Amino acid sequence: MRIGLIGTGRIGSFHAGVLARHPGVDTLVVTDPDAARAAQVAARTGATAVASAADVLGAGVDAVVIASATSAHAELIGRVARAGLPAFCEKPIALDLPGTLGALREVDRAGSVLQLGFMRRFDPGYAAARAAVRGGALGRLHTVRATTSDAAPPPAAYLPLSGGLFRDCLVHDFDILRWVTGREVTEVYATGSDGGHPMFRAAGDVDTAAALLTLDDGTLATATATRCNGAGYDVRMELAGEQDQITVGLDDRTPITSAEPKGPAAPDKPWPGFLERFAAAYEAELDAFVRVVRGELANPCDGREALHALRIAEACELSRRERRPVLMTELAEG
């Protein structure tokens, strides 16, 4: 199989290594606006570097992985769809609902495949939590607590392009909340704090945020995030039911220290970032994409899933700005 890869930044470079090692991938063709960076990735992985996305599409590839800058996602999804090729794209499709809906219409018109990169769906802990919830092991689920904490803020130049903390970061929690519980969010109430570095205020963003989400069966969920968690990269989900309670993301590298005299100490090697914490999940989602292209597997995360998560993020942004609860019915469904 010949795979094209558009974008060789941090996540694109990682994907290139995964695809180059995959037994089902014979040829990898890569491109990036930074030609030198693409050439370096090609040299490291044995791929072929080409000058542009058009060259990737003209190279006889069987499918395309999009890991470009977020601002280019929607346009590239449309181009790949019109070329009749399956696409894997890192989240998000776009930073707003109109852009997302436009790209999805392109995919629908072409009748092509679009798999979105919500890697947590491929993490064993989240998969086990989904099985426990849906199999009734917890009894009636009443509370979910999700958190995503970055060890250090991204570069200042990234913030205005990110879409903000809800769309860029917490969107993963919104997606995995739906996937694990099988329920839909009906109402949100969100707030944020920009008390950290001035670059967040300059970008109109926040460095810390919290949302209270009501699910359609009455379950209450909280989702919190911060860019400034000096202890390390911390992603967890706690699910509490009438019969039991479980946690995803609690292991010997979780960057948390117990204040109890007999509690666990700080980890020797806390998780430093998302690539290390979810390396296996990133590999699994690309393996799934190869199997989707071969016709061996149904699409595990199509574009509509990204739309649902983005709508929740949009509702949270609206709630934060207007300081009020927001019903999901206030946002267009597409």
Side-chain angles (χ1 to χ4, degrees):
M1 181 183 296
R2 293 173 64 85
I3 299 287
L5 172 66
I6 302 174
T8 57
R10 187 180 183 190
I11 190 62
S13 177
F14 183 90
H15 286 338
V18 172
L19 292 167
R21 294 191 301 269
H22 196 287
V25 179
D26 303 312
T27 304
L28 180 62
V29 182
V30 304
T31 192
D32 192 277
D34 185 336
R37 185 167 67 183
Q40 289 172 354
V41 169
R44 176 175 59 81
T45 61
T48 299
V50 296
S52 67
D55 291 327
V56 169
L57 296 177
V61 297
D62 300 298
V64 176
V65 172
I66 300 170
S68 62
T70 295
S71 58
H73 285 185
E75 189 265 337
L76 287 170
I77 287 170
R79 290 178 67 180
V80 175
R82 292 191 296 274
L85 295 171
F88 173 96
C89 185
E90 279 299 326
K91 66 82 190 169
I93 292 175
L95 292 178
D96 58 23
L97 290 175
T100 299
L101 292 168
L104 291 176
R105 283 193 290 269
E106 291 266 23
V107 173
D108 289 342
R109 280 195 292 266
S112 58
V113 171
L114 172 62
Q115 180 181 330
L116 260 291
F118 281 112
M119 77 290 185
R120 294 187 194 180
R121 294 180 176 220
F122 297 87
D123 177 77
Y126 284 107
R130 174 184 164 106
V133 170
R134 299 194 180 206
L138 306 186
R140 182 184 68 86
L141 186 69
H142 52 73
T143 307
V144 182
R145 294 176 285 270
T147 187
T148 295
S149 300
D150 289 331
Y158 173 75
L159 293 176
L161 308 175
S162 71
L165 193 57
F166 290 106
R167 299 184 189 93
D168 179 54
C169 186
L170 277 165
V171 71
H172 280 290
D173 296 276
F174 302 149
D175 175 71
I176 206 65
L177 174 65
R178 295 181 60 252
W179 189 76
V180 167
T181 66
R183 312 306 309 191
E184 298 294 344
V185 174
T186 59
E187 185 178 22
V188 310
Y189 186 63
T191 188
S193 168
D194 61 2
H197 195 283
M199 66 181 179
F200 293 99
R201 291 186 291 281
D205 197 6
V206 294
D207 60 69
T208 303
L212 173 63
L213 314 167
T214 302
L215 307 189
D216 57 12
D217 64 347
T219 299
L220 297 180
T222 59
T224 63
T226 185
R227 301 284 197 187
C228 310
N229 196 55
Y233 181 72
D234 186 14
V235 171
R236 282 175 289 124
M237 173 181 268
E238 300 172 3
L239 300 111
E242 290 184 336
Q243 296 179 14
D244 203 355
Q245 179 172 240
I246 57 175
T247 300
V248 180
L250 183 61
D251 59 23
D252 61 0
R253 298 191 67 181
T254 304
I256 192 167
T257 304
S258 175
E260 299 296 332
K262 295 182 179 180
D268 292 332
K269 292 178 62 178
W271 293 111
F274 64 92
L275 278 180
E276 295 82 3
R277 166 65 178 86
F278 289 109
Y282 280 116
E283 293 208 25
E285 70 177 359
L286 285 179
D287 177 68
F289 179 59
V290 170
R291 293 170 62 198
V292 168
V293 175
R294 286 174 167 175
E296 300 170 355
L297 183 72
N299 190 345
C301 187
D302 69 23
R304 290 284 161 184
E305 298 299 291
L307 174 62
H308 290 310
L310 178 62
R311 289 182 69 247
I312 299 169
E314 290 281 343
C316 287
E317 272 293 350
L318 179 60
S319 176
R320 179 180 75 88
R321 289 196 311 269
E322 299 189 358
R323 297 179 176 271
R324 66 175 178 89
V326 173
L327 294 171
M328 290 305 301
T329 52
E330 296 181 44
L331 282 81
E333 295 186 17

